[in-house]
Amino acid sequence: MKRDIEAFKAVREAVGYNFNIMADANDGYEQNFDWAVRMLRECAPYEMYWMEEIFPETTKIYRRLHTVLNQSNVKIPIAEGEDVRDVDQFQSYLEEELFNFIQPDMRTVGFSNILRGAKMAGEHGVSLIPHNWASEIGKLMSILCAVIQKNITFAEDDRYHTLAIDASGYLFRDGQWTAPDRPGWGIRLNDHYDYFQRNNEEAVIS
């Protein structure tokens, strides 16, 4: 816990206050509720944009956290939900106003369900940020969802790339993605994929 607090403060000191900093605990505080509260209290003055996955998705523990944070006047938004596979499961969390951001996984939930979940979340004033990891197409799908649905405001971008597709129509500039006007996903298979793949395999072998 102390290391997490020190790390967050150090990042804020390094980048200043012109950047959003999100924290992801990977459910690491599941058995340490009091530690979680202390960490959030001490990080609150340093403007944590959201706290993600501090516990597994359990209504009871997030209800308790919500109550304690309100009593302490700690205003850190809570993000959760990358392990949820059915967006309808978010309904109880939304009705109780336990999460500020929900994060169903793009690859397992799917494009149309992400949009349906976003509409559901929007009825409660909540944003949906699609979870995505190691999938360039998943990232591009998230960007297109954001074009369609106003309460999708971020796309998770881990800088994963595949040589199989040409996604050059998507542009990232000044912190924002711009989607192309091409039909479908706005991508095409790369004409030189086989060439790149062979070179990559030869480089690995050598």
Side-chain angles (χ1 to χ4, degrees), residues 198-206:
R198 286 196 305 272
N199 280 357
N200 185 55
E201 291 174 353
E202 290 171 2
V204 171
I205 293 172
S206 61

Side-chain angles (χ1 to χ4, degrees), residues 33 37 55 59-72 74 76 78 96-100:
F33 182 86
V37 172
F55 310 119
T59 303
K60 182 178 179 180
I61 195 168
Y62 274 106
R63 187 185 297 125
R64 181 184 175 196
L65 180 67
H66 187 74
T67 299
V68 171
L69 293 183
N70 280 341
Q71 291 173 346
S72 304
V74 173
I76 292 180
I78 301 299
E96 294 194 50
E97 300 181 345
L98 298 181
F99 301 152
N100 306 94

Side-chain angles (χ1 to χ4, degrees), residues 37-172:
V37 172
R38 178 179 169 186
M39 187 267 289
L40 292 173
R41 283 174 176 165
E42 295 199 24
C43 289
Y46 299 89
E47 299 184 11
M48 182 183 290
Y49 192 85
W50 78 42
M51 182 70 247
E52 176 180 346
E53 302 280 338
I54 195 166
F55 310 119
E57 296 97 344
T58 306
T59 303
K60 182 178 179 180
I61 195 168
Y62 274 106
R63 187 185 297 125
R64 181 184 175 196
L65 180 67
H66 187 74
T67 299
V68 171
L69 293 183
N70 280 341
Q71 291 173 346
S72 304
N73 198 32
V74 173
K75 305 297 183 183
I76 292 180
I78 301 299
E80 181 63 82
E82 66 183 64
D83 294 322
V84 173
R85 296 296 178 258
D86 180 354
V87 294
D88 290 322
Q89 293 178 15
F90 285 109
Q91 191 63 48
S92 60
Y93 297 108
L94 295 171
E95 290 174 353
E96 294 194 50
E97 300 181 345
L98 298 181
F99 301 152
N100 306 94
F101 300 90
I102 60 172
Q103 301 174 294
D105 181 73
M106 174 60 78
R107 295 175 299 170
T108 53
V109 171
F111 187 85
S112 59
N113 281 321
I114 290 289
L115 292 176
R116 186 167 67 86
K119 290 180 180 179
M120 182 193 308
E123 294 174 356
H124 297 271
V126 172
S127 296
L128 184 149
I129 311 300
H131 174 261
N132 179 66
W133 193 253
S135 172
E136 184 174 8
I137 293 179
K139 175 190 70 181
L140 303 181
M141 292 167 70
S142 299
I143 294 169
L144 291 177
C145 280
V147 173
I148 297 169
Q149 196 68 29
K150 290 184 178 180
N151 66 325
I152 300 178
T153 54
F154 291 98
E156 187 165 8
D157 180 3
D158 63 350
R159 293 296 191 255
Y160 178 90
H161 296 289
T162 172
L163 298 174
I165 64 172
D166 177 1
S168 57
Y170 289 82
L171 300 176
F172 184 75

